[in-house]
Amino acid sequence: MFEGGAQGVHKLARGLMPVTTRSAHAIADPEFARAIGAFLIDERTEVARTVDELERAGPFRQEA
């Protein structure tokens, strides 16, 4: 296994396909935690869309 690091569409040409990662954080301020939660709703959707798009554009053959 090789960890290519975060981000970088240019990595597709080197055969490094996107992998979704997760993290967990404790946010002490309730208002800030709500703001982050609201942002993450849209962010998760956008990241999933981008990963799908990059997977389709990858250099490897895909089964039909």
Side-chain angles (χ1 to χ4, degrees), residues 34-46:
R34 278 192 292 279
I36 291 170
F39 168 78
L40 290 178
I41 291 170
D42 293 334
E43 179 72 359
R44 283 184 195 104
T45 301
E46 182 60 24

Side-chain angles (χ1 to χ4, degrees), residues 6-60:
Q7 302 179 357
V9 176
H10 63 281
K11 293 177 184 175
L12 286 178
R14 295 179 179 95
L16 299 172
M17 298 302 291
V19 176
T20 302
T21 59
R22 307 208 186 289
S23 63
H25 306 274
I27 309 299
D29 183 293
E31 287 186 43
F32 191 40
R34 278 192 292 279
I36 291 170
F39 168 78
L40 290 178
I41 291 170
D42 293 334
E43 179 72 359
R44 283 184 195 104
T45 301
E46 182 60 24
V47 167
R49 186 193 65 74
T50 301
V51 167
D52 288 343
E53 184 178 312
L54 292 173
E55 285 176 344
R56 286 192 304 275
F60 303 110

